Amino acid sequence: MYSILLAIFILISVSLIICILLQSNENYNIGGDSRIGMTNNLLKSRSSSNIMTRITSILAILFFTLSLILGNINNKDNHIGSHSLEISTDTTSIN
């Protein structure tokens, strides 16, 4: 289960990076020629910007949720392993 969640986590991470890089920067044309900015605004659809923002938000929420779940699973595995080590050292000291 851990391997499957880790693979999903990696896919979400790469997708999140791609979504962030694909988003257009609205403040890109500050101090530049205003005609270029107006042309870009006419050609760019606001709905595509809203969709990219929504997808990025969903991927970010999934990223943080999966990172917490994977950290919790990893912590439980390490905690169980340390108990078995403590038990084995305690039994050898009795003999």
Side-chain angles (χ1 to χ4, degrees):
M1 180 166 160
Y2 184 79
S3 300
I4 294 170
L5 288 176
L6 188 60
I8 293 170
F9 181 74
I10 291 171
L11 288 173
I12 289 174
S13 301
V14 171
S15 300
L16 183 61
I17 291 170
I18 291 170
C19 279
I20 290 172
L21 291 175
L22 287 177
Q23 287 183 356
S24 63
N25 188 0
E26 293 178 4
N27 296 327
Y28 181 83
N29 201 20
I30 293 178
D33 190 8
S34 62
R35 290 177 293 177
I36 295 172
M38 290 185 336
T39 305
N40 285 340
N41 285 337
L42 290 175
L43 296 176
K44 184 177 75 167
S45 164
R46 296 304 281 173
S47 64
S48 67
S49 175
N50 290 335
I51 291 171
M52 287 301 291
T53 303
R54 189 169 298 190
I55 290 172
T56 305
S57 300
I58 292 170
L59 286 173
I61 290 169
L62 288 173
F63 175 82
F64 284 114
T65 305
L66 270 177
S67 64
L68 290 173
I69 292 170
L70 287 172
N72 193 12
I73 291 173
N74 194 20
N75 189 23
K76 285 182 182 179
D77 288 344
N78 287 340
H79 189 64
I80 291 171
S82 65
H83 272 353
S84 64
L85 181 63
E86 289 174 9
I87 292 170
S88 66
T89 57
D90 289 341
T91 57
T92 56
S93 64
I94 294 173
N95 292 332

